[in-house]
Amino acid sequence: MIARARWLVHPLALLPLALLFYDFLIDNLTANPIQEITQRTGKTALILLILTLVVTPVNRHFRLPDLVPLRKRLGLYAFLYATLHLSIFVGLDYFFDWELILLELSEKLYVLVGLTAWLLLLPLAVTSTKGWQRRLGKRWKGLHRLIYVAASAVILHFLWLVKSDIREPLAYGAGVALLLTLRLPPVRRWLPRRTPE
Amino acid sequence: MRAITPLNITPEPLYLNRRAFMRTFGAGLAVAAGAPATLLGAPSEPTDLPTSFKDITHYNNFYEFSSNKQAVARMVSGFETTPWQLEVTGRVAKPALFDVEELITRFQPEERVYRLRCVEGWSMVIPWHGFPLARILEAVQPTPEARYLKFITVHRPRQMPGQKNGWYHWPYVEGLRLDEALNDLAILATGLYAKKLLAQNGAPVRLVVPWKYGFKSIKSIVRIELVKSRPTSLWMRAAPHEYGFYANVNPKVPHPRWSQASERRIGEFRRRRTLMYNGYEEQVAHLYAGMDLKANY
């Protein structure tokens, strides 16, 4: 069942992008469209990153191995949106004005930590193929644990850029914290695990 | 750059924004694709054309209704602005209670086209209708102890659903030093684009201090108190390290979140460099002579 429905991840993950184009065509991107598309691609990247982190614990505790291939796809879509987000910041918002971009990078921690998150995701996207998985062997798993750091950095990025009311990033942060806690060995052992019938 | 430009008012809303965005967006893609920059024409001198009526009335920071700038215009329908009284009280010889209609007939609002720079890194040009705050102060006669003005927005959680958000200390409060309030640029606005103010823009009467970040220009005012000591504004209370009492537009004082060195003029594609005191340096710099502007942000 799950295996047959897995293709749905593609249209679902591309839906936010399609909506963005649609809203662009019908002039529904607010009076400040560049900010709107920056925020929407950023939030989509965060949601997809969280969904990527959901796969492993759900499979572990509910034994749903058919979900596992989704992890790579969700992760790559998260990276796609993160890349769009960064490209919009550099190319549209700041229009390759490197003087201003460097100023932002040097004086705003949220920019620095956001860029760090993207840089951490980059090697994961590159080494997401079977070939790289084989070549890296045991090290692959260690490398891909960088997603924990990246997800935490994204939460920090979000926390530092909202105006005063931090409840929304805190909610996402709680999600990430829960998903990371589930991975701690004592927690993992303590939680029930469904065994094959 | 002239601070106050006479302007031929375009009576109908300008709906040019999308086209302008699409055109410049296309140009951006052309640059990204490596098209020669000459194709796009040399960047012209920045001009200060008024922002479209639609954008001015549909992109509003008015947390009393919603923290979503697009949602504010939809949320204001239940907000009653007539009748409305503005009380001017505190350390004054002649405290007064003005009806808004009375303010308009008595002080004769005139057109003032001002740049508005939001602390969030975007800006507009708005053709306000208003009269100098100094005129009201002349009428109420501040006593020698009066050193600051404390402005207070109406508090009506039933009509302003955002005021039910317990994160902030309502009602909205802002303040000015008396000499700032007496500066000719500081106005109380009752209209824009030759129409009465709409609720989302702070109807029926609001402050406009164009050399300060937009949040200083408090909306829907019911009371102005002349006071002895410096009032604490809502934003100073919410995040004291980010929002100071002065909040003068200053490209050299960074904010942890938004660029203060540059801004996006609504309706434009490229960022502009932010001007000291939002371009009103000539008129207001003397108010802050000798002050450490980094400490007094």
Side-chain angles (χ1 to χ4, degrees), chain A residues 12 20 44-45 47 59 71-73 95 109 114 116 121 127 139 145 160 164 188 190 192 197:
Chain A
L12 286 176
L20 217 55
T44 309
I47 291 169
N59 171 44
R71 192 173 53 188
K72 171 179 162 182
R73 290 168 206 173
F95 208 79
L109 275 174
T116 307
L121 290 175
T127 62
R139 283 171 301 167
R145 285 199 173 122
W160 281 339
S164 182
R188 220 159 64 186
W190 175 75
E197 314 272 307

Side-chain angles (χ1 to χ4, degrees), chain A residues 24-25 27 30-32 35 92-95 97 100 107-108 110 160-165 167, chain B residues 18 21 55 59 70 120 165 167-168 235 243 254-259 262 264 266 269-271 273:
Chain A
F24 170 62
L25 292 174
D27 191 19
T30 83
N32 199 350
Q35 188 183 63
L92 289 183
D93 196 354
Y94 283 87
F95 208 79
D97 186 333
L100 274 183
E107 81 190 8
K108 292 183 179 37
Y110 93 87
W160 281 339
L161 65 80
V162 293
K163 181 159 152 187
S164 182
D165 188 346
R167 289 174 291 189
Chain B
R18 172 161 166 269
F21 175 66
D55 284 344
Y59 194 70
Q70 290 78 248
E120 298 169 357
N165 180 348
W167 192 270
Y168 300 101
W235 283 111
Y243 312 106
H255 185 276
R257 216 163 299 120
W258 305 288
S259 174
S262 68
R264 169 156 294 101
I266 295 303
F269 182 68
R270 300 280 297 266
R271 279 178 176 269
R273 302 288 158 145

Side-chain angles (χ1 to χ4, degrees), chain B residues 61-125:
Chain B
N61 260 332
F62 203 165
Y63 278 38
E64 279 83 342
F65 292 102
S66 169
S67 57
N68 173 344
K69 288 186 271 295
Q70 290 78 248
V72 172
R74 293 196 300 271
M75 308 285 283
V76 296
S77 53
F79 186 55
E80 286 162 24
T81 55
T82 41
W84 191 283
Q85 289 181 320
L86 171 65
E87 185 186 8
V88 187
T89 174
R91 304 205 177 245
V92 291
K94 293 180 176 172
L97 191 61
F98 298 98
D99 207 78
V100 167
E101 293 306 316
E102 183 195 337
L103 281 179
I104 293 172
T105 46
R106 181 158 168 196
F107 298 113
Q108 295 288 313
E110 58 186 33
E111 182 174 80
R112 297 280 186 106
V113 184
Y114 284 159
R115 287 176 289 272
L116 175 119
R117 171 57 157 86
C118 179
V119 71
E120 298 169 357
W122 54 268
S123 63
M124 292 184 178
V125 176

Side-chain angles (χ1 to χ4, degrees), chain B residues 240-263:
Chain B
H241 301 292
E242 294 182 16
Y243 312 106
F245 174 77
Y246 287 97
N248 291 319
V249 175
N250 188 340
K252 290 195 187 73
V253 176
H255 185 276
R257 216 163 299 120
W258 305 288
S259 174
Q260 300 313 21
S262 68
E263 68 199 52

Side-chain angles (χ1 to χ4, degrees), chain B residues 118-162:
Chain B
C118 179
V119 71
E120 298 169 357
W122 54 268
S123 63
M124 292 184 178
V125 176
I126 303 181
W128 299 108
H129 271 240
F131 55 88
L133 185 53
R135 300 287 310 281
I136 270 199
L137 294 173
E138 283 160 22
V140 297
Q141 298 175 15
T143 63
E145 300 97 72
R147 291 190 54 220
Y148 293 91
L149 281 78
K150 179 180 178 186
F151 300 82
I152 300 158
T153 294
V154 71
H155 188 235
R156 285 187 198 160
R158 281 206 182 154
Q159 292 180 15
M160 302 173 118

Side-chain angles (χ1 to χ4, degrees), chain A residues 1 7 11-12 20 23 26 41 44 52 58 67 82 90-92 99 113-114 119 130 144 155 163-164 181 184 191:
Chain A
M1 233 280 275
W7 62 274
L12 286 176
L20 217 55
D23 283 335
I26 65 162
T41 48
T44 309
T52 311
V58 166
L67 280 181
V90 173
L92 289 183
E99 187 194 332
V113 90
L119 289 172
K130 285 233 163 65
H144 280 249
I155 294 299
K163 181 159 152 187
S164 182
T181 310
L184 295 173
L191 277 171

